[in-house]
């Protein structure tokens, strides 16, 4: 299938770089990806790909049917949304929308899948059906669940699904994944403490001080990890927001204070435990200081679990793209989150990391930071990976199960 892939990539690299930078300059938050979705649909149709729009609100699915016999179908997925971050890259193609930027590389993910779509539309030398899934709202706005609720796999059946994400700090030309747990369940919570408040200077003894309650609550959170979660299980609880009172009135003990944060875990029973214990700790701490607490816990994407069969496919595809020495098969799991896990809960799949690069001194700009930028040099490797996945699943690399 791929005798002409390398020269094809060389010939089209500049074109796909321009597409990536155009998407980067026009970032859109989750469920607002109107321009990006329209661009994706337009490009796909221009290359002869069948397109279905508005899947899960702003999602797009492209369909390519191989010219050889075959009943198997697979899905390749890329995310399209940006983040609410002020860009500080200084690039000529920097965000034109202040307060929004592609700080996670979804512009690159979309571009690499578009590149694979074009090549495979021109060279459908495989058997079966390929579904190209362009997902909205990966960054905490429920895009995967929205596509599933819209009948993603009923309308576009897939025997297996694959995802790809860039990783700053990993060298260009490398790939990595692992069998089993790879990314954690990512939940959000907030607690609202309430009390009568009062004068913090003249009559603090008459106030029910909710600042005491929140301070003990924040300290107690780490006791959940240290004394409730089994030592060999993974859990993270972090506070990312505390708000109460007014800076202009520092002598006033506030009557309402909000504490919010994130919780990460792998095991479902640990996730249940964390949700229960945060609520219990908030209620009991508030009661001990004569005030009240209202806890809200919102579950995000579940833990991402790679299936062994699909990992082997991904590893073979990556090795074909960059060579065996540049592919790591035992990537250490992290507590990052990824809502592709919701799709992988319904269909077996594998998630792969592709190196976004690292400077000679070992430095790099991390994901979700104002100076991050997707590395256009890795676009050909990403396209090659996708083409190789299709070759492994539906083309010459496919092996009849024993």
């Amino acid at each position: 299938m791929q005798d002409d892939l390398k020269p094809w990539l060389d010939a089209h690299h500049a074109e796909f770089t321009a597409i990536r930078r155009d998407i980067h300059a026009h970032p859109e938050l989750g469920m607002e990806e109107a321009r990006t979705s329209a661009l994706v649909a337009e490009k796909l149709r221009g290359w002869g790909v069948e397109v279905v729009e508005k899947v899960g609100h702003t999602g797009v699915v492209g369909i390519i049917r191989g010219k050889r016999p075959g009943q198997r179908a697979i899905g390749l997925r890329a995310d399209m949304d940006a983040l609410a971050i002020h860009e500080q890259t200084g690039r000529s193609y920097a965000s034109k929308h202040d307060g929004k930027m592609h700080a996670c590389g979804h512009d690159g993910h979309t571009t690499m899948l578009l590149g694979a779509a074009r090549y495979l539309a021109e060279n459908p030398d495989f058997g079966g059906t390929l579904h190209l899934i362009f997902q909205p709202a990966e960054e905490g706005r429920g895009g995967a669940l929205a596509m599933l609720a819209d009948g993603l796999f009923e309308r576009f059946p897939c025997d297996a699904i694959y995802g790809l994400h860039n990783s700053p700090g990993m060298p260009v030309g490398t790939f990595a994944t692992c069998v089993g747990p790879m990314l954690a369940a990512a939940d959000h919570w907030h607690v609202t403490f309430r009390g009568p408040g009062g004068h913090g200077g003249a009559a603090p003894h008459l106030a029910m001080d909710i600042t005491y309650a929140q301070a003990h609550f924040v300290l107690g959170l780490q006791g959940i990890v240290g004394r409730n979660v089994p030592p060999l299980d993974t859990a993270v609880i972090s506070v990312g927001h505390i708000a109460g009172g007014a800076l202009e009135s520092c002598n006033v003990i506030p009557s309402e204070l909000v504490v919010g944060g994130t919780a990460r875990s792998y095991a479902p029973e640990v996730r249940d435990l964390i949700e229960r214990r945060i609520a219990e700790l908030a209620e009991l701490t508030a009661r001990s200081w004569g005030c009240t607490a209202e806890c809200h816990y919102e579950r995000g994407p579940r833990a991402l679990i790679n299936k062994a069969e699909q990992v082997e496919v991904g590893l073979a595809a990556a090795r074909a793209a960059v060579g065996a020495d540049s592919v790591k098969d035992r990537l250490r799991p992290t507590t990052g989150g990824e809502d592709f896990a919701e799709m992988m809960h319904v269909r077996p799949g594998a998630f792969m990391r592709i190196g976004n690069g690292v400077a000679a001194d070992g430095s790099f700009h991390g994901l979700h930071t104002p100076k991050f930028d997707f590395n256009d040099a890795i676009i050909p490797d990403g396209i090659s990976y996708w083409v190789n996945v299709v070759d492994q699943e539906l083309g010459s690399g496919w092996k009849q199960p024993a």
Side-chain angles (χ1 to χ4, degrees):
M1 180 193 291
Q2 305 171 56
D3 291 343
D4 64 343
L5 181 55
K6 178 62 166 61
W8 188 94
L9 290 170
D10 291 341
H12 292 86
H13 192 179
E15 176 188 354
F16 289 118
T17 295
I19 291 173
R20 201 284 296 183
R21 294 181 178 184
D22 178 66
I23 296 172
H24 186 93
H26 301 89
E28 297 170 302
L29 301 181
M31 297 302 179
E32 300 173 6
E33 306 95 339
R35 183 184 187 279
T36 307
S37 294
L39 182 152
V40 167
E42 177 187 6
K43 294 294 184 184
L44 292 175
R45 287 195 178 99
W47 299 327
V49 177
E50 181 182 343
V51 175
V52 179
E53 297 181 74
K54 298 182 179 179
V55 182
H57 189 57
T58 50
V60 178
V61 177
I63 304 118
I64 302 176
R65 294 177 175 85
K67 66 182 182 181
R68 295 182 354 197
Q71 300 301 314
R72 191 167 172 81
I74 65 168
L76 310 181
R77 173 270 199 179
D79 36 20
M80 300 186 293
D81 56 323
L83 286 153
I85 294 177
H86 294 272
E87 182 164 353
Q88 298 176 10
T89 64
R91 305 292 194 192
S92 61
Y93 50 84
S95 172
K96 296 182 183 296
H97 305 300
D98 190 39
K100 301 177 184 179
M101 76 168 286
H102 273 288
C104 200
H106 297 184
D107 48 345
H109 302 165
T110 296
T111 300
M112 291 187 294
L113 189 54
L114 281 174
R118 178 169 184 177
Y119 179 84
L120 291 164
E122 295 174 0
N123 302 275
D125 188 23
F126 59 88
T129 304
L130 172 63
H131 294 126
L132 305 151
I133 303 168
F134 293 86
Q135 182 204 309
E138 190 280 327
E139 299 287 0
R141 294 192 175 190
L145 289 174
M147 294 191 85
L148 291 171
D150 204 7
L152 176 65
F153 293 131
E154 291 76 24
R155 299 164 66 185
F156 313 99
C158 293
D159 296 299
I161 56 175
Y162 296 87
L164 178 66
H165 201 295
N166 79 96
S167 287
M170 271 178 57
V172 170
T174 64
F175 289 84
T177 189
C178 63
V179 175
M182 181 174 171
L183 293 161
D187 302 335
H188 300 279
W189 56 268
H190 70 264
V191 174
T192 303
F193 291 92
R194 294 187 178 92
H199 198 302
H205 58 293
L206 300 179
M208 299 300 181
D209 195 341
I210 60 176
T211 69
Y212 266 71
Q214 73 83 23
H216 285 271
F217 168 73
V218 169
L219 290 174
L221 286 173
Q222 299 313 315
I224 297 175
V225 176
R227 290 296 178 266
N228 296 145
V229 176
L232 296 183
D233 281 323
T234 297
V236 175
I237 303 175
S238 294
V239 173
H241 175 82
I242 299 177
L247 188 60
E248 297 81 5
S249 305
C250 290
N251 63 336
V252 176
I253 296 172
S255 59
E256 184 172 296
L257 191 153
V258 179
V259 183
T262 188
R264 306 295 171 101
S265 58
Y266 282 109
E269 61 271 20
V270 172
R271 195 181 198 186
D272 293 341
L273 182 149
I274 290 173
E275 180 175 3
R276 174 175 57 82
R277 288 293 292 131
I278 287 178
E280 291 173 347
L281 180 66
E283 178 187 354
L284 294 173
T285 304
R287 190 187 306 170
S288 70
W289 291 99
C291 54
T292 64
E294 180 182 345
C295 183
H296 178 77
Y297 194 98
E298 181 178 352
R299 295 200 173 198
R302 69 185 71 226
L304 186 145
I305 313 295
N306 284 327
K307 298 298 186 181
E309 181 179 346
Q310 283 70 47
V311 167
E312 285 305 311
V313 169
L315 289 171
R319 290 166 184 150
V322 297
D325 291 343
S326 297
V327 179
K328 184 177 181 179
D329 62 0
R330 295 185 181 180
L331 179 69
R332 186 176 184 180
T334 74
T335 49
E338 167 60 62
D339 82 343
F340 184 52
E342 298 295 344
M343 294 185 185
M344 292 174 64
H345 183 68
V346 181
R347 293 291 185 271
F351 199 58
M352 179 68 73
R353 294 284 192 182
I354 180 173
N356 195 64
V358 56
D361 62 0
S363 65
F364 58 89
H365 296 297
L367 301 173
H368 292 216
T369 64
K371 293 187 177 181
F372 171 81
D373 190 20
F374 182 87
N375 189 345
D376 293 316
I378 72 173
I379 291 174
D381 286 344
I383 295 174
S384 180
Y385 172 75
W386 283 135
V387 172
N388 285 318
V389 167
V390 174
D391 193 36
Q392 288 293 316
E393 279 277 17
L394 306 177
S396 61
W398 184 77
K399 301 293 188 296
Q400 177 70 35

